[in-house]
Amino acid sequence: MAKDEAQAARRVEELRGQIKEHDRRYYQEAAPTISDREYDRLYKELLDLEAKFPELVTPDSPTQRVGGKPLQAFDQVRHRVPMLSLDNTYSEEEVANFYKRITKLLPNVKIPVVIEPKVDGVAVSVMYENGKLKYAATRGDGLVGDDITQNIKTIKSVPHQLPGAAPRIFEVRGEAYLDKKGFEKLNKERGAAGLPLFANPRNAAAGSLKHLDPSVAARRPLGMVFYGTGAVEGTALDLHSKIFTLFKKLGLPTHEDWWLADSVDKILNAIRDLDEVRRDFAYETDGAVIKVDALAQREKLGFTAKSPRWAIAYKYAAEQVETKLLDIKVQVGRTGILTPVAVLEPVLVSGSTVSRATLHNEDEIKRKDIRIGDTVVIEKAGEVIPAVIEVVKSKRPRGAKPFDFFKHIHGKCPVCGGEVRRDPEFVAWRCENLLCPAQTTRRVEFFAARGALDIESVGGIVADKLVERGLVRDPLDLFELKVDQLAKLNLGTDEAPRVFGEKNATKAVQAIDRARTLALSRWLYALAIPDVGKTTATDLARFHETIEDVANSKLLRDVTAYHELRADKEAAKQIADRLIETGFAEPSKSKADKNRGIVTQVGPVVAQSVLDFFDSAAGKKTLQRIKQLRIKPATEKISAKKAAELPLAGKTFVLTGALPSMTREEASAKIQALGGHVSGGVSKKTDYVLAGSEAGGKLDKAKELGVKVIDEAQFRNLW
Ligand code: IVH
């Protein structure tokens, strides 16, 4: 691996970790800690790196998903028409480019576009059949969402029955929101009850809609704005601008303000006009959506992998104000990362009072030369946690000293007093103490998360409190919890206690008990072994019977030995043959590989990392406790002979687009179960690109490299 690629690989991993963590906070806890804009920056950096180094793309990269993951507790609904998202931009120039682009794609015709508010809520799809509300769903991953019918039915403005002769199938899409006033009131009540506050109206709306108990949604002042359709039968629409009147006629709430334009200037004017009025809307808006009006023109323009070519979202710049930075506090994140937070003189921005802002990390503070006592410009775009943009140097008080992070925290973790270290490769300081309560919580959450051991009742606040009250110091402690201990657990505060309760506790203990025999791959993933993601965990589980087998793996030792001994051809060949025989490796197909090397299921770095983990004191203790706790993960091992005989053995697949009858996860699982390998980026090593509808750049890449492209039917013929 070239040096810059190695560097990129590290950054990509770091970005993915951060993005996934922010996704989790956003979608599962409805409590984000960074602004959308900041999130978009991270996401864009990842996209750019992946575009530059396609080899680094993996199927589980956040860039390969359309939206958030559906929660397991709801029934799932497969969207008849995928719910895509829009390309976002913050620049007028890009809006102009968008219009120029479509004018080039459809030359010599007028292309009227509609400009309408971008509602900052939660995307929802509501299906009416013969006028009757059949079901409602969230976007989920764009293909499958959560069935939130009961919650949507509690929204007063959403009709359960459409009047008159409604179309046979009429799926309408829009945004559910909590109005601005309702949001303020709700947060006030929550504050008084000692409950955590919602970050913004959108998160409050998401939290309400994803509540399993519809009576909660019913008590929240939710509203709905419909702005599009999904599956439609029994009526023909030709212009988007007609849906506003049609929706009104059917009693469906929709935009009151929208504009038609057919030139760049007119579009930009409409965007500015909207900015003038949007603050008076009952709901939050964060931008304008520009959509081609004629459905026939939309069809010609088509889609990229994730979004339509016929629409773009323009986001308004966040409001900026000046205030004083009074102090810098350091918080310990759940991965042990120390995050500096600005304590500000309270100031009103975008309608709410702000007294904190994130400073990200030491380098950011240095780069912006932020000092305590400075006057700073902060920015906020509807979120509660704003960012410090810059220092007003002319207002710097005399004697303000450059900020020294290490000195400021007295060289210790502010939570546990443990040692801190700054890894030269990372920008952040980290608390080194694995037993630091802040970190333990994070590990427990990861352990119990979906994809790992899936112990839903131990997420978020429960994990927090279990650690805070000293009941759990290590994720495996969960297996020793008793119902009565858990039932008494106070999830609230001392003043406003809220106990977990007997019923929840019994359920949680049962769920924990069930985890004892979950598949080995999940256990390997849950243990958070460095460098072991889901794919590696699955690969390891296919070749090992138990966790102990992985810990003492001859295969892994062979992999590291092979790479160390490559100079010694004879010795290397012996090991290579042995690995090939087990199915753990196959001869390399790459012509560049003159030594006729091998490609192993798991690379040498990961192999070493796994061995190191089980060799460490913590790893050994983990293994011993797993035994004591009678944890026996179900084996997924397949015999070498069988592995080689599997229909897709040795084949590498890349997935793109939406398949007609299976999700990407299902297709990936199938490929792996049949002995194949799934990779994220198309390269010469790819055997097949499995493409569905709306496949994007990967198809072009496949054509360029001459990689075989197949559809779902052809895929099914392979087995
Ligand atoms: S049209 C094919 N119109 O913003 C995409 N979306 O990333 C159809 N949104 O997923 C979306 N207001 O949740 C559209 N007037 C509007 C919107 C809007 C808000 C949301 C929607 C979408 C996201 C774009």
Side-chain angles (χ1 to χ4, degrees):
M1 216 191 268
K3 190 163 161 258
D4 55 344
E5 186 170 350
Q7 227 164 26
R10 273 196 299 274
R11 181 67 188 147
V12 159
E13 269 313 301
E14 193 177 272
L15 285 166
R16 283 185 189 146
Q18 289 176 359
I19 291 171
K20 280 183 189 161
E21 174 61 15
H22 290 306
D23 279 345
R24 191 186 61 76
R25 291 183 192 173
Y26 186 104
Y27 289 109
Q28 286 173 28
E29 292 183 4
T33 50
I34 59 168
S35 72
D36 279 9
R37 191 157 192 169
E38 197 57 42
Y39 179 90
D40 289 346
R41 271 183 214 135
L42 294 175
Y43 194 88
K44 174 127 198 324
E45 188 184 344
L46 178 59
L47 268 184
D48 290 348
L49 279 173
E50 289 183 347
K52 201 161 159 207
F53 302 101
E55 295 279 330
L56 297 179
V57 180
T58 56
D60 67 342
S61 173
T63 57
Q64 308 298 302
R65 280 187 283 113
V66 179
K69 290 246 152 113
L71 295 173
Q72 208 65 95
F74 288 97
D75 277 346
Q76 308 285 282
V77 173
R78 176 169 295 278
H79 299 300
R80 289 176 55 168
V81 177
M83 282 181 87
L84 300 181
S85 58
L86 296 174
D87 281 338
N88 274 335
T89 178
Y90 291 89
S91 97
E92 294 194 344
E93 196 185 331
E94 278 188 41
V95 172
N97 288 341
F98 158 78
Y99 197 68
K100 285 182 202 148
R101 198 160 55 235
I102 58 176
T103 329
K104 264 203 200 119
L105 289 167
L106 303 175
N108 307 324
V109 287
K110 270 208 172 315
I111 314 176
V113 294
V114 170
I115 296 93
E116 60 185 53
K118 181 165 176 352
V119 185
D120 197 11
V122 181
V124 169
S125 190
V126 183
M127 175 63 89
Y128 289 94
E129 282 179 27
N130 297 317
K132 199 170 178 321
L133 193 165
K134 265 287 192 230
Y135 63 82
T138 61
R139 179 165 70 197
D141 65 2
L143 301 174
V144 177
D146 291 327
D147 183 334
I148 50 162
T149 314
Q150 295 314 320
N151 288 339
I152 287 295
K153 280 187 167 173
T154 67
I155 304 179
K156 292 191 192 72
S157 58
V158 176
H160 293 195
Q161 174 74 50
L162 300 178
R168 199 167 52 250
I169 299 284
F170 202 54
E171 186 183 12
V172 287
R173 290 179 172 173
E175 210 80 0
Y177 65 84
L178 194 73
D179 68 38
K180 293 176 191 167
K181 279 209 194 98
F183 169 70
E184 296 277 326
K185 191 164 156 255
L186 177 64
N187 256 358
K188 223 181 232 163
E189 287 166 6
R190 287 177 74 85
L195 294 170
L197 302 188
F198 284 115
N200 54 38
R202 180 190 40 207
N203 288 289
S208 311
L209 288 177
K210 291 196 170 175
H211 216 287
L212 288 168
D213 176 0
S215 70
V216 172
R219 275 183 268 124
R220 307 255 167 98
L222 292 165
M224 188 79 211
V225 183
F226 290 108
Y227 48 66
T229 52
V232 173
E233 286 172 24
T235 187
L237 282 165
D238 54 352
L239 295 178
H240 173 65
S241 48
K242 286 188 187 167
I243 68 167
F244 302 118
T245 23
L246 174 65
F247 280 2
K248 271 199 163 162
K249 207 174 84 195
L250 294 172
L252 296 162
T254 186
H255 292 304
E256 297 291 335
D257 300 84
W258 53 275
W259 292 256
L260 262 172
D262 57 4
S263 72
V264 170
D265 281 348
K266 286 184 199 161
I267 295 173
L268 296 180
N269 274 335
I271 289 178
R272 287 175 206 136
D273 284 350
L274 169 59
D275 197 21
E276 291 296 313
V277 293
R278 67 191 184 100
R279 265 166 261 271
D280 301 330
F281 295 170
Y283 42 80
E284 292 278 356
T285 51
D286 60 348
V289 181
I290 301 107
K291 312 174 170 172
V292 169
D293 193 24
L295 272 56
Q297 291 186 336
R298 286 188 182 183
E299 211 159 295
K300 283 189 193 138
L301 290 167
F303 298 83
T304 65
K306 287 176 81 171
S307 44
R309 279 202 195 89
W310 44 261
I312 191 167
Y314 171 82
K315 290 215 182 176
Y316 292 108
E319 195 179 325
Q320 297 192 341
V321 295
E322 283 183 13
T323 186
K324 227 187 194 141
L325 188 143
L326 304 174
D327 193 8
I328 294 178
K329 283 222 151 69
V330 176
Q331 292 179 344
V332 186
R334 295 184 171 154
T335 43
I337 288 179
L338 306 185
T339 309
V341 178
V343 180
L344 307 167
E345 202 164 84
V347 60
L348 200 70
V349 208
S350 307
S352 62
T353 308
V354 163
S355 54
R356 300 246 157 163
T358 169
L359 292 169
H360 302 287
N361 52 53
E362 183 184 26
D363 286 2
E364 187 89 351
I365 299 178
K366 275 205 187 120
R367 199 165 56 77
K368 294 181 179 159
D369 187 19
I370 297 170
R371 304 180 184 189
I372 294 174
D374 267 343
T375 295
V376 291
V377 175
I378 61 165
E379 180 185 276
K380 184 164 164 270
E383 283 76 22
V384 155
I385 302 181
V388 171
I389 302 301
E390 60 181 358
V391 170
V392 188
K393 292 262 168 71
S394 60
K395 296 190 181 169
R396 170 165 290 166
R398 255 194 285 147
K401 286 195 205 73
F403 184 72
D404 184 330
F405 194 98
F406 191 73
K407 234 177 168 173
H408 189 73
I409 55 170
H410 308 291
K412 291 192 303 241
C413 168
V415 168
C416 69
E419 255 180 61
V420 294
R421 201 165 76 90
R422 188 180 151 141
D423 191 321
E425 279 169 24
F426 293 102
V427 285
W429 285 88
R430 228 176 236 278
C431 167
E432 289 280 278
N433 174 13
L434 280 177
L435 297 177
C436 176
Q439 291 192 55
T440 310
T441 308
R442 174 68 193 99
R443 292 212 316 279
V444 172
E445 278 183 350
F446 178 81
F447 189 75
R450 252 196 329 135
L453 298 185
D454 205 358
I455 316 171
E456 206 188 325
S457 30
V458 186
I461 180 133
V462 180
D464 249 359
K465 296 292 175 189
L466 283 171
V467 175
E468 194 183 305
R469 313 261 183 234
L471 288 171
V472 169
R473 287 196 180 78
D474 176 283
L476 287 173
D477 290 345
L478 291 174
F479 290 90
E480 285 177 313
L481 287 175
K482 302 274 174 304
V483 173
D484 55 335
Q485 269 177 318
L486 255 173
K488 280 187 291 197
L489 185 70
N490 179 6
L491 301 180
T493 57
D494 288 345
E495 302 81 56
R498 183 164 64 92
V499 292
F500 195 49
E502 178 95 18
K503 211 167 121 199
N504 287 331
T506 313
K507 261 207 243 154
V509 168
Q510 282 167 352
I512 294 170
D513 198 42
R514 269 198 303 277
R516 282 193 158 85
T517 50
L518 280 182
L520 179 62
S521 55
R522 287 195 183 222
W523 268 94
L524 291 172
Y525 177 64
L527 290 177
I529 303 166
D531 298 316
V532 177
K534 277 189 193 155
T535 311
T536 304
T538 310
D539 286 339
L540 288 172
R542 280 169 52 203
F543 288 89
H544 301 86
E545 190 111 22
T546 61
I547 299 183
E548 269 169 317
D549 287 354
V550 177
N552 305 316
S553 172
K554 177 132 180 23
L555 292 172
L556 294 180
R557 270 185 278 130
D558 270 355
V559 171
T560 55
Y562 171 77
H563 284 269
E564 275 159 21
L565 287 173
R566 282 191 79 159
D568 178 352
K569 285 213 182 104
E570 204 35 51
K573 186 171 180 316
Q574 258 183 26
I575 302 176
D577 287 347
R578 211 153 62 211
L579 282 167
I580 292 172
E581 199 175 316
T582 59
F584 202 63
E586 54 181 271
S588 166
K589 282 178 271 185
S590 165
K591 291 202 187 79
D593 203 342
K594 284 187 224 83
N595 299 337
R596 291 248 203 81
I598 52 170
V599 179
T600 47
Q601 291 278 339
V602 163
V605 176
V606 178
Q608 192 60 54
S609 183
V610 175
L611 295 173
D612 287 349
F613 172 80
F614 286 110
D615 215 27
S616 69
K620 281 187 182 139
K621 193 169 148 221
T622 301
L623 212 56
Q624 196 190 4
R625 277 199 83 193
I626 284 175
K627 227 190 210 164
Q628 273 168 1
L629 293 167
R630 295 189 315 280
I631 290 164
K632 292 207 171 70
T635 182
E636 295 156 286
K637 186 173 169 184
I638 44 168
S639 77
K641 189 160 166 290
K642 258 200 189 148
E645 281 168 5
L646 284 172
L648 305 183
K651 299 284 182 239
T652 299
F653 287 76
V654 171
L655 306 179
T656 178
L659 300 176
S661 80
M662 50 200 327
T663 63
R664 276 181 196 224
E665 279 80 17
E666 284 163 2
S668 291
K670 191 84 207 170
I671 291 167
Q672 287 185 327
L674 295 172
H677 194 75
V678 181
S679 152
V682 181
S683 73
K684 280 188 213 140
K685 289 183 207 147
T686 313
D687 292 292
Y688 297 102
V689 169
L690 173 53
S693 58
E694 290 146 30
K698 289 182 188 168
L699 261 192
D700 304 336
K701 181 91 195 207
K703 279 182 201 140
E704 189 189 314
L705 295 177
V707 173
K708 192 158 179 176
V709 178
I710 54 172
D711 62 13
E712 186 182 320
Q714 287 164 312
F715 170 56
R716 287 179 184 277
N717 276 338
L718 294 176
W719 29 287

